[in-house]
Amino acid sequence: MKVAGNIISRLQKIEKVEKVERFRLSLQLIGLAIFIYFGSQSTFYVVLLSVPVALLFGPVYCGWMCPRGMFQNIIGSMGKRVLGKRYNKLIPKRIHKPLLYFRYVVLLFLLTALVLYELQLIDDSLMESVVIDGLLVIMVVSILLSFFVDRAACRYFCKEGAAASLTNLVKIRKIKRDASLCNSCGICDRVCPMWIDVSKKDVVRDTACISCMKCVQKCPVDALRVE
Ligand code: SF4
Ligand code: SF4
């Protein structure tokens, strides 16, 4: 009876996860529609509008609504199928940690360029050909990189993600791990697209977190909660 009960609760969990993933995809499609209708600048404004929610739960736009996240998920699932166990092996963990700061370099580059542009120290053509086109190339290449590395653009290159990630430092509700329930299975670590060692933390405070809640969804014993 106990085995049957376990199987039923496992199936219910899978069904719940699938529903949540469908909901995520719907939000990402809305994000894509906004992006297509209002243009690339809209991402910046949507991130700004989502600040109140981000102050509560962290950068939820990144984990739930960003169309670039959707493309990375699609390309990433193709990469997982083709590469199998070789997926996510391109960047070693010791390089991953310092590389996480590169997105702040990209953000700083953009902010510096905007200040110089306002001061008329760089002209329209330089702004368009180097800054705007350069950042676009970086974004497209990094999205394609997610064929090899989960959420490569979010991890290392996204300027909006860099700005939004700072809300992790002040967010009110955090992911907490109940050590008395946790069985150290490591599923949360494996499903985290940002490679955060959730199973080794009591509270997730990392700036890399994109508030996707995949760790919470997939924990088999509900040891992870948002509190
Ligand atoms: S998935 Fe849940 S039970 Fe498994 S290591 Fe993470 S917190 Fe612990
Ligand atoms: S720690 Fe959890 S919520 Fe944060 S990025 Fe990883 S899986 Fe998503």
Side-chain angles (χ1 to χ4, degrees):
M1 279 302 275
K2 198 178 169 209
V3 176
N6 283 345
I7 292 171
I8 289 168
S9 76
R10 191 85 193 104
L11 288 173
Q12 282 171 339
K13 180 115 190 149
I14 291 169
E15 199 185 331
K16 207 165 132 195
V17 168
E18 281 173 0
K19 270 190 195 155
V20 173
E21 286 312 313
R22 278 199 292 274
F23 177 62
R24 191 194 310 274
L25 185 61
S26 318
L27 289 179
Q28 287 169 331
L29 287 170
I30 292 171
L32 180 63
I34 294 172
F35 182 82
I36 292 170
Y37 193 77
F38 294 103
S40 58
Q41 299 286 327
S42 64
T43 309
F44 183 73
Y45 294 111
V46 177
V47 170
L48 261 188
L49 281 174
S50 63
V51 164
V53 185
L55 289 176
L56 207 55
F57 298 107
V60 280
Y61 173 79
C62 303
W64 291 85
M65 205 172 173
C66 182
R68 289 170 293 194
M70 180 184 73
F71 289 125
Q72 288 178 86
N73 289 349
I74 295 168
I75 296 171
S77 59
M78 288 193 272
K80 277 175 203 160
R81 249 180 238 145
V82 174
L83 299 172
K85 286 190 174 165
R86 284 171 299 148
Y87 185 72
N88 242 350
K89 294 281 190 297
L90 186 69
I91 311 274
K93 270 207 165 172
R94 68 194 148 79
I95 296 178
H96 161 74
K97 290 225 164 125
L99 214 53
L100 281 173
Y101 292 100
F102 188 70
R103 57 186 181 157
Y104 299 105
V105 176
V106 178
L107 176 63
L108 203 62
F109 170 72
L110 174 67
L111 294 177
T112 310
L114 286 173
V115 171
L116 293 177
Y117 183 68
E118 284 303 317
L119 295 173
Q120 298 186 337
L121 292 170
I122 54 175
D123 59 18
D124 286 0
S125 67
L126 194 64
M127 187 71 185
E128 268 172 39
S129 60
V130 179
V131 182
I132 309 294
D133 291 352
L135 290 174
L136 187 67
V137 169
I138 288 180
M139 189 44 73
V140 172
V141 171
S142 62
I143 288 175
L144 294 176
L145 255 181
S146 59
F147 185 83
F148 303 96
V149 179
D150 209 359
R151 290 271 187 156
C154 303
R155 286 184 186 190
Y156 312 124
F157 301 99
C158 182
K159 55 196 182 312
E160 287 89 356
S165 74
L166 300 176
T167 58
N168 277 310
L169 300 171
V170 292
K171 67 184 175 189
I172 296 165
R173 308 288 298 269
K174 299 180 181 74
I175 296 169
K176 294 185 180 162
R177 186 179 62 91
D178 185 338
S180 65
L181 294 175
C182 175
N183 60 17
S184 304
C185 65
I187 289 175
C188 49
D189 302 341
R190 290 197 290 280
V191 298
C192 177
M194 301 302 280
W195 243 356
I196 295 169
D197 294 326
V198 184
S199 67
K200 296 186 181 68
K201 297 176 190 290
D202 293 326
V203 182
V204 177
R205 291 195 174 90
D206 301 51
T207 48
C209 179
I210 54 170
S211 301
C212 63
M213 301 297 154
K214 289 200 172 176
C215 53
V216 179
Q217 274 172 262
K218 299 276 172 76
C219 174
V221 292
D222 294 328
L224 296 169
R225 303 237 161 129
V226 181
E227 288 173 355

